[in-house]
Amino acid sequence: MTQRATDPSHPYEHQEVWELLPWYVNGTLSDHERTRVEAHLMTCAACQAELARCRDLAVAVHAAADAWEPSAEHFARVLARLDATTASATPRWGWWDAVRGQYERYGELLRRTPPLIRWTLVMQSALTLGLVGILMWQAPWAPERFYRTLSSSSDQTAQKRVQIRVVFADDITEKALRALLTEVRGTIIAGPSPVGVYTVAVALSGGERAQADIALETLRAHPQVRLAEALHTP
Amino acid sequence: MTYTAPWLRTAHTTPPRGAAELGQRALPMDEDLVLIRRVAAHDRQAFEMLYHRYATRLARYLTPLLRQRELVEEVLDDVMLVVWQNAARFDPTARFSTWLFGIAHHKAMKAWGRSANKPLPLPPLPHDAESDQDNPEQILTEQELGRTLVQALESLSPEQRAVVELTFYHARSYQEIAEITGCPVNTVKTRMFHARRRLAQYLEALGLRHSSGRQEKSA
């Protein structure tokens, strides 16, 4: 440390200590910095006054604190966004990761094998890949079936079920809950989570999306349902 | 050269100084690390626990910067989504909350920029009122002082307010604030300097001055 840093009355020392005062107040300075500030404060009336101002400011910042609290509804919305993102992102990344992983493993294997076997394997793999490609190309259902996610809408209608995340009012009775689930042809398949979120699977008799929308509207219209969100992007 | 978003850069946190501070932080940091590892494995229960640990604190940080509750909740959603998607990229040698607040700060500044076409008016610096000059003897009560300072805080820019909030409410060191806001330590100190000067100007314009920790009407 230079001479000015050890001299509490030096103008530069005053400026640097003045800058550190907010963090002296919040207690995050290093031991060295704290000692330095305290030495300067012993002799500097301006910094003593500024220290008082910083303490007033700390009190005001705490007084301005907002009373926002997390809620089941908010967290359910976060999960709904997460589901929507996962549903749209998973097939693409799953496909890419699988291909890249296979490619890397295969490359490593080839590097370790003798040249004759290596080229035999390459030829064999190329033939297999070509055959698989032809089969995939000819199968009209292939792209959809390769990347199935639980939350994708096409899957849900194929399985004749749609999943809905529901938050019920605290005072709903078991009887009312049962009646509501019967009305929408729903079954609780998960929950409650720690914040009271249930996942309800609704059966679709004809695989019609309209039926899922009606179930969602019925749930939302019920006075004792605080939130109902489908697990797929509408 | 590819751009890397601030929350994806490795966040090396200055190790806490002093045994007491280390003792206070060791346990929560370990819990955070366990949770974020579980989130990286797409464990939703761990994700929910992290949400409950930090949602209130994050909202408390975002509210003074964004001021509108809907915008705060929207940014909070974005932050949690980034955590879910990038949990595997979190550097375990860094402090989780610093990484998380860095994401929140970045998202808040972007949201502030997006809402630039419809900004809420910042309270201007008040002009000296003649009526104030008529009563130089008036001394403000503690409550009035607090209210005046809270009002004065509203006159700070989001960048200045961020440094003030992180310092006085979230008790962050200036090094941690530099990491969260993605700027050099000197910039943090400069923003704090301007914030303190702005608050002093605000109070002076009201005919107030500080004296040994309390505000008085200046003669």
Side-chain angles (χ1 to χ4, degrees):
Chain A
M1 193 53 58
T2 57
Q3 188 187 350
R4 64 180 171 83
T6 56
D7 178 3
S9 62
H10 195 284
Y12 286 113
E13 179 68 358
H14 170 77
Q15 182 59 35
E16 286 177 18
V17 166
W18 194 92
E19 281 184 353
L20 291 176
L21 287 174
W23 294 285
Y24 177 72
V25 168
N26 82 0
T28 58
L29 291 183
S30 67
D31 292 343
H32 170 72
E33 286 170 322
R34 193 171 58 247
T35 308
R36 191 177 155 195
V37 168
E38 285 169 354
H40 181 77
L41 280 170
M42 299 277 282
T43 59
C44 180
C47 279
Q48 286 168 18
E50 182 60 19
L51 179 63
R53 281 192 279 273
C54 285
R55 285 184 172 141
D56 280 347
L57 183 54
V59 172
V61 166
H62 279 265
D66 191 43
W68 188 91
E69 289 293 334
S71 62
E73 289 89 339
H74 182 254
F75 186 67
R77 277 203 300 275
V78 172
L79 283 185
R81 275 193 64 189
L82 190 146
D83 285 331
T85 310
T86 307
S88 60
T90 299
R92 183 169 158 250
W93 286 105
W95 176 85
W96 175 244
D97 284 347
V99 170
R100 194 176 58 179
Q102 280 299 331
Y103 177 80
E104 284 170 1
R105 277 193 291 277
Y106 202 57
E108 183 60 29
L109 183 70
L110 281 179
R111 275 192 291 276
R112 291 179 184 175
T113 50
L116 183 62
I117 299 173
R118 186 188 306 167
W119 286 110
T120 308
L121 283 170
V122 167
M123 291 299 288
Q124 190 180 13
S125 299
L127 281 169
T128 309
L129 203 60
L131 196 60
V132 168
I134 290 166
L135 285 172
M136 283 176 68
W137 184 258
Q138 287 178 342
W141 44 262
E144 288 77 17
R145 289 207 179 172
F146 257 70
Y147 311 113
R148 179 176 294 174
T149 62
L150 287 176
S151 54
S152 75
S153 56
S154 59
D155 265 12
Q156 286 174 350
T157 49
Q159 293 166 5
K160 297 181 181 177
R161 289 204 323 176
V162 66
Q163 292 181 14
I164 300 174
R165 217 179 279 289
V166 187
V167 178
F168 298 103
D170 292 338
D171 60 349
I172 192 169
T173 62
E174 189 271 339
K175 189 180 172 186
L177 181 61
R178 198 152 25 90
L180 180 59
L181 290 175
T182 307
E183 186 184 349
V184 300
R185 305 185 63 201
T187 312
I188 292 175
I189 58 168
S193 75
V195 290
V197 182
Y198 288 85
T199 305
V200 173
V202 173
L204 305 174
S205 58
E208 296 289 334
R209 279 300 304 274
Q211 272 186 274
D213 293 339
I214 291 167
L216 201 56
E217 281 167 21
T218 307
L219 285 166
R220 284 175 177 162
H222 195 281
Q224 286 172 305
V225 171
R226 289 160 68 189
L227 181 122
E229 289 285 346
L231 285 185
H232 61 287
T233 312
Chain B
M1 186 174 159
T2 53
Y3 170 76
T4 309
W7 63 85
L8 298 181
R9 292 181 199 136
T10 303
H12 289 293
T13 308
T14 307
R17 294 162 301 278
E21 191 178 4
L22 185 63
Q24 278 176 358
R25 288 177 177 181
L27 188 60
M29 283 171 75
D30 286 346
E31 286 175 9
D32 286 345
L33 196 54
V34 170
L35 288 175
I36 193 66
R37 277 179 180 155
R38 285 172 56 191
V39 171
H42 284 189
D43 179 336
R44 289 190 177 220
Q45 200 182 5
F47 181 67
E48 190 164 353
M49 287 167 79
L50 267 184
Y51 170 84
H52 279 280
R53 275 172 83 93
Y54 284 102
T56 308
R57 269 181 274 178
L58 286 173
R60 176 61 189 84
Y61 176 60
L62 294 170
T63 303
L65 308 187
L66 300 171
R67 299 174 190 200
Q68 301 167 63
R69 179 151 293 203
E70 293 101 32
L71 203 52
V72 168
E73 291 197 355
E74 190 186 311
V75 170
L76 196 50
D77 291 358
D78 289 347
V79 172
M80 294 311 296
L81 207 59
V82 170
V83 168
W84 177 260
Q85 290 171 330
N86 293 284
R89 305 180 75 162
F90 171 69
D91 174 6
T93 62
R95 187 179 172 189
F96 172 74
S97 65
T98 301
W99 181 71
L100 184 65
F101 271 73
I103 298 170
H105 180 82
H106 181 76
K107 291 282 179 189
M109 290 300 126
K110 275 181 80 174
W112 174 264
R114 275 201 309 273
S115 66
N117 294 331
K118 39 172 183 168
L120 288 178
L122 285 173
L125 285 174
H127 299 290
D128 281 338
E130 296 232 345
S131 57
D132 287 342
Q133 306 288 339
D134 295 341
N135 189 11
E137 300 298 319
Q138 185 187 346
I139 295 180
L140 298 181
T141 64
E142 288 290 324
Q143 259 189 336
E144 287 169 331
L145 295 179
R147 274 201 298 272
T148 309
L149 267 175
V150 169
Q151 263 182 339
L153 282 168
E154 295 293 307
S155 73
L156 300 180
S157 71
E159 290 85 1
Q160 292 168 352
R161 187 75 189 261
V163 174
V164 168
E165 291 290 327
L166 288 168
T167 301
F168 291 113
Y169 192 86
H170 299 277
R172 296 307 179 118
S173 67
Y174 56 81
Q175 296 94 334
E176 284 175 316
I177 296 171
E179 278 189 40
I180 289 168
T181 56
C183 62
V185 161
N186 279 340
T187 305
V188 172
K189 289 181 178 174
T190 304
R191 283 177 185 170
M192 178 62 91
F193 171 84
H194 287 298
R196 288 156 76 188
R197 197 173 63 174
R198 170 106 182 159
L199 293 174
Q201 283 171 347
Y202 191 97
L203 297 176
E204 276 169 25
L206 282 173
L208 301 171
R209 64 178 172 80
H210 265 91
S211 175
S212 302
R214 62 177 195 162
Q215 312 255 353
E216 293 174 354
K217 285 279 183 187
S218 55

